[in-house]
Amino acid sequence: MIVVEAVGGVAILGALTALGFSVKIVREYQRVVLFRLGRSLGIRGPGLVFINPVTDRTSLVDLRERFLEIPRQTAITQDNASISIDFIIFYKVVDPAMSVLQVQNFAAAAQNVAATTQRSVVGDMALDDVLSKREEMNASLRIRLDDVTERWGVKVTTVEVREVNPPSGVLEAMTRQMSAERTRRAVITEAQGQKEAAITLAEGNRQAAILGAEGERQSAILRAEGLATGLEKISTVGEDLDPNTMQLQYLEILKNVGSSPSTKIVVPMELGGLIGGLQALLPAASNGSSAPADTGGVAQPASRESPARPPQLDPGTRQSSSNGR
């Protein structure tokens, strides 16, 4: 009886052990590649996966994105500059069966492929492009690595170059170039500032001149309008004045003009009228000498006769008179 119980316990224990080896729990981000008697039966998971512990073998694959650090590699650029570069590869498994069947150790294979690919990419670029065009170099590395790893069922998602170390001589030249470039930018910025200041000042002067001219024009227009209005009012008031008032006002103006201390010559309006009358009479006087005696009762000035010439003597008489003397 005791032997039977012992055998039963061993059988139960063996069954539990076999059940433990026969059941596997696969997480959501994992897959199991199942092999039976050495032949691949496909991918299992996620969840519970039942296998035969005697004939089946499994290989667990992680589908999450992972990274791989590529150690520092020395490469020569297109212009024969020796530099050292280290970068990181981000990848993920897209085909678990191929990642198990096509490559034995993906990490080691990826490091070697990345090193050779990095030397090839850097060799096609100049030093200035390697230092300044990181995005282009990253994209080129990713494309070339992805072409290789695609047959392994692995997708290279990102390649990031962390550090580029050029030779010391190149670093010194870069430092001098950076200093010269900053000096050039400072000079250009200062020149642009002076140019903009001069343009702004000239624009301000032009605006001030325009505003000043506009103000003077408005002022002249207002003065002219005021003068026109004043003259119009004077004309309106003068129409209602009698001649005596105008004469008195004229005499008052002559008095004020004559009382000022400056030297001046005042020609009254009467003198101008008198001169005009004389100019009208002179042609009439010149025409009156040839007119008939009958002038209609108007006395005419006497005509002016030429003076009588002295009598001319005969030459003989002039000689005798001179001798007699």
Side-chain angles (χ1 to χ4, degrees), residues 19-94:
L19 182 62
F21 284 105
S22 300
V23 177
K24 287 186 175 295
I25 299 175
V26 181
R27 294 183 175 89
E28 183 67 31
Y29 56 85
Q30 293 175 336
R31 295 295 183 272
V32 171
V33 180
L34 181 62
F35 295 91
R36 179 168 296 169
L37 297 178
R39 174 177 289 184
S40 174
L41 297 181
I43 302 170
R44 301 289 186 270
L48 290 176
V49 176
F50 296 93
I51 63 175
N52 185 355
V54 177
T55 59
D56 296 343
R57 296 292 181 269
T58 59
S59 179
L60 188 64
V61 180
D62 196 332
L63 300 181
R64 292 176 294 183
E65 186 172 1
R66 290 181 290 180
F67 69 93
L68 182 63
E69 294 186 4
I70 306 301
R72 190 179 303 275
Q73 302 291 327
T74 302
I76 299 177
T77 62
Q78 189 178 15
D79 49 358
N80 297 323
S82 178
I83 59 175
S84 59
I85 302 176
D86 62 334
F87 56 96
I88 302 176
I89 298 174
F90 293 87
Y91 67 95
K92 65 182 301 183
V93 176
V94 294

Side-chain angles (χ1 to χ4, degrees), residues 64-73 85-92 103 105-115 141 145 149 152 154-162:
R64 292 176 294 183
E65 186 172 1
R66 290 181 290 180
F67 69 93
L68 182 63
E69 294 186 4
I70 306 301
R72 190 179 303 275
Q73 302 291 327
I85 302 176
D86 62 334
F87 56 96
I88 302 176
I89 298 174
F90 293 87
Y91 67 95
K92 65 182 301 183
V103 61
N105 187 350
F106 173 77
Q111 285 185 355
N112 291 298
V113 171
L141 283 171
L145 288 174
T149 59
W152 299 338
V154 178
K155 173 70 175 176
V156 176
T157 58
T158 308
V159 176
E160 291 291 339
V161 175
R162 293 194 300 184

Side-chain angles (χ1 to χ4, degrees), residues 257-275:
V257 170
S259 62
S260 61
S262 60
T263 302
K264 62 185 72 66
I265 298 175
V266 180
V267 180
M269 290 187 299
E270 291 80 0
L271 182 58
L274 181 60
I275 293 174

Side-chain angles (χ1 to χ4, degrees), residues 245-254 267-270:
T245 304
M246 294 295 294
Q247 189 68 23
L248 291 175
Q249 185 69 26
Y250 172 66
L251 293 175
E252 183 68 22
I253 292 174
L254 288 179
V267 180
M269 290 187 299
E270 291 80 0

Side-chain angles (χ1 to χ4, degrees), residues 5-23:
E5 292 178 357
V7 172
V10 170
I12 294 173
L13 182 60
L16 293 175
T17 304
L19 182 62
F21 284 105
S22 300
V23 177

